[in-house]
Amino acid sequence: MAKSKFEYVRDFEADDTCLAHCWVVVRLDGRNFHRFAEKHNFTKPNDSRALDLMTRCAQTVMTELEDIVMAYGQSDEYSFVFKRKSNWFRRRASKFMTNAASQFASSYVFYWKDYFKDQDLLYPPAFDGRVVVYPSNQTIKDYLSWRQADCHVNNLYNTVFWMLIQRSKLTPAQAQERLRGTLAADKNEILFSEYNINYNNEPPMFRKGTVLIWKKMRKIKPLRSEIICPKASEKLDFLPKCSYKSIKEIKSKEIKPPGETEGKQVEVTRIRTKPVALHCDIIGDTFWKEHPEILEDDS
Ligand code: DGT
Ligand code: MG
Ligand code: MG
Ligand code: MG
């Protein structure tokens, strides 16, 4: 078919291809969630309902979109890491970002009532997004460490800040003044000596945020199952895209060949995994040693 004379307008489209072989990160962040949290009576400083809802949305994003190897979330933000060699939408940044943001935002509304049973959703929330590419395993690990360190610093501050207000009846300005110039050790000391709180015993979800990684799905009962841990060197044709540790499930299914009345039993192989939430440290080496498959070259 002949091209119309208007076709040339395509040349105005900017190229936003993410650099080949780099980790692509999409970070979403709630728009004006300071106000959103107030209006919806979020518990201070942490609202488990809100954090669980965020994680539900992130799990939906991981399941519905292609090629996300892990995610990390805290407060009103979630970061999604796409595999180095993803060719989803030919690696266009705008596609990664807008698909993640719209899937996340619609899920937030869709699942709201499952988490906030006594609190209506008063207006439509929005999430902004950005894309950053990281060229090496060290830089992607440092990116995730940065977000987890941010979670720690903010949560320690907020935990003391709200104790000073809620328990010691300080005004926000007085609490701020009391904490000016204090180090982490000082804040831990205030929590311990004044409120008998050992910060390390606070819920890990608040202190560490949430890591989502792919794990085998437990719901399905396979006829036979076998754990397979493919190495980068092993090319397994029944594992088309994923090389994370997974479960191969072989189920029996009845099919009817064309023209035949009798069905016959055949074995069907399916890989079932789902994004599972952990609240662990990802700054140290332990996590990466326990899950080497996440950053494998072919992941
Ligand atoms: P932005 O992102 O520039 O549009 O503006 P904000 O207001 O979303 O600012 P941001 O993202 O830096 O900070 C997140 C806000 O969300 C922060 O003011 C506290 C609030 N928030 C997040 N999680 C919780 C929670 O669990 N409880 C409460 N009370 N507030 C929360
Ligand atoms: Mg922001
Ligand atoms: Mg925000
Ligand atoms: Mg934020």
Side-chain angles (χ1 to χ4, degrees), residues 29-30 76 128 130:
D29 184 283
D76 67 337
D128 71 26
R130 74 188 71 193

Side-chain angles (χ1 to χ4, degrees), residues 29-34 37 42-47 50-51 75-76:
D29 184 283
R31 178 165 174 269
N32 202 355
F33 259 47
H34 184 74
F42 281 15
T43 315
K44 289 171 168 128
N46 292 292
D47 191 311
L51 296 171
S75 182
D76 67 337

Side-chain angles (χ1 to χ4, degrees), residues 28 51-66 68 70-73 77-80 100 103-105 107-108 111 114-115 205 210-217 219 273-279:
L28 305 180
L51 296 171
D52 288 340
L53 172 58
M54 290 288 289
T55 292
R56 183 73 181 81
C57 298
Q59 287 168 319
T60 308
V61 168
M62 283 178 79
T63 309
E64 295 297 324
L65 275 54
E66 301 283 318
I68 298 172
M70 70 174 288
Y72 173 75
E77 67 169 64
Y78 246 100
S79 297
F80 300 92
Q103 189 76 56
F104 196 98
S107 302
Y108 200 93
Y111 293 117
D114 295 349
Y115 296 85
M205 177 165 73
T210 303
V211 185
L212 291 175
I213 58 172
W214 292 100
K215 284 267 183 77
K216 69 160 184 165
M217 218 166 131
K219 264 191 205 149
T273 56
K274 70 170 184 178
V276 172
L278 308 172
H279 309 293

